[in-house]
Amino acid sequence: MKKLLVGNWKMNLNAADAVALSKAIQPSLDYDIVICPSLLHLSIVQSLINTSGIKLGAQNVSRETFGSFTGDVCAEQLKDIGCEYVIIGHSERRVKAEESNVEIHTKLQRALEVGLKPILCVGESLEEYKSELTNEILARQLLNVEYNDSLIIAYEPVWAIGTGLVPTNREIENSITTIKSIVNSPVLYGGSVSAKNSSQLDEISCCDGFLVGGASLKADEFNKIY
Ligand code: PGA
């Protein structure tokens, strides 16, 4: 299986920037490339990457199906416009939008029901890392998550996201091993992945790819990761 490289654009870029960036991203022989623009830009990006082999992902999904949920977008709608993947439980949603494990697991079900591939994010905070609670936190976040062919996990230590800090390869390997002992799915690493550190991170044999934030916003940088 090819490794997976996911670009999470978060709430960045206007439409013209999203178009330019989509056009500049190169397909790869070694990686399946997935880009996750804001909800607003999914359709326009989809129309540009359609024939390139680059896949489309969303950054979030409603826990509800169709209905009176103002402002929400459901899994069926994401699938309908061409999304293949959806990021679920990113730490920015767990912390800033106060999403609970229960809500995240409901979203996971919604995604799986319609045939989207969920990328479930898990990872410890700095305090938890310092208190050596990483394994416990991962087990808690993965409680009741069952193996599914389509499920992908992203190990993203919260303290490594957007900070330039990266755990050692050994630490990442330990966390991925813990995750795989609970749910035997492909596991990506995310947190300050860049063109500079990707070849070193690539040495982690149990790691099935990367989830990239900041470095996915510049084509030059993103294309150098693979
Ligand atoms: P980063 O973000 O690469 O900017 O650290 C990763 C993420 O939030 O998924």
Side-chain angles (χ1 to χ4, degrees):
M1 195 189 91
K2 268 190 180 181
K3 289 188 175 190
L4 199 61
L5 181 64
V6 184
N8 175 11
W9 293 358
K10 308 193 181 182
M11 198 171 70
N12 291 298
L13 309 177
N14 59 29
D17 295 332
V19 166
L21 183 53
S22 307
K23 286 181 179 166
I25 291 174
Q26 306 287 330
S28 157
L29 286 178
D30 301 326
Y31 285 86
D32 278 326
I33 312 284
V34 181
I35 50 181
C36 304
S38 79
L39 279 173
L40 207 55
H41 298 147
L42 283 171
S43 288
I44 189 162
V45 169
Q46 165 64 1
S47 67
L48 293 166
I49 60 174
N50 218 345
T51 53
S52 65
I54 295 170
K55 311 279 174 54
L56 189 69
Q59 299 172 17
N60 188 24
V61 63
S62 172
R63 63 179 156 177
E64 308 291 348
T65 53
F66 288 110
S68 303
F69 300 99
T70 304
D72 265 6
V73 172
C74 65
E76 290 88 340
Q77 291 171 318
L78 295 177
K79 180 84 178 166
D80 182 50
I81 61 146
C83 284
E84 190 171 328
Y85 295 83
V86 59
I87 297 171
I88 293 178
H90 190 283
S91 67
E92 286 153 15
R93 297 218 53 88
R94 289 179 188 265
V95 176
K96 295 175 187 166
E98 295 182 5
E99 286 185 8
S100 65
N101 274 327
V102 172
E103 182 172 0
I104 288 162
H105 294 166
T106 308
K107 291 180 172 201
L108 200 61
Q109 286 315 314
R110 291 285 99 84
L112 291 170
E113 279 161 16
V114 303
L116 285 170
K117 295 174 184 161
I119 301 169
L120 173 66
C121 299
V122 294
E124 80 286 359
S125 68
L126 184 57
E127 250 176 39
E128 291 158 349
Y129 170 75
K130 285 184 178 160
S131 309
E132 299 182 7
L133 289 172
T134 300
N135 286 347
E136 207 174 310
I137 297 300
L138 295 175
R140 199 180 301 161
Q141 291 172 334
L142 291 168
L143 190 70
N144 299 327
V145 174
E146 284 170 15
Y147 172 81
N148 183 294
D149 261 0
S150 304
L151 176 64
I152 295 147
I153 313 278
Y155 170 57
E156 295 209 308
V158 181
W159 53 274
I161 295 176
T163 58
L165 301 171
V166 178
T168 62
N169 278 15
R170 185 69 184 273
E171 288 172 319
I172 295 172
E173 195 177 318
N174 285 343
S175 294
I176 292 180
T177 305
T178 299
I179 292 168
K180 289 191 176 185
S181 73
I182 302 169
V183 188
N184 194 17
S185 293
V187 181
L188 316 180
Y189 167 75
S192 296
V193 176
S194 67
K196 275 208 185 104
N197 60 22
S198 61
S199 52
Q200 187 194 322
L201 291 168
D202 210 25
E203 287 169 13
I204 306 167
S205 58
C206 57
C207 180
D208 301 293
F210 303 118
L211 175 53
V212 185
S216 71
L217 291 171
K218 290 198 181 107
D220 280 359
E221 171 90 10
F222 191 61
N223 290 336
K224 274 190 210 136
I225 291 176
Y226 50 98

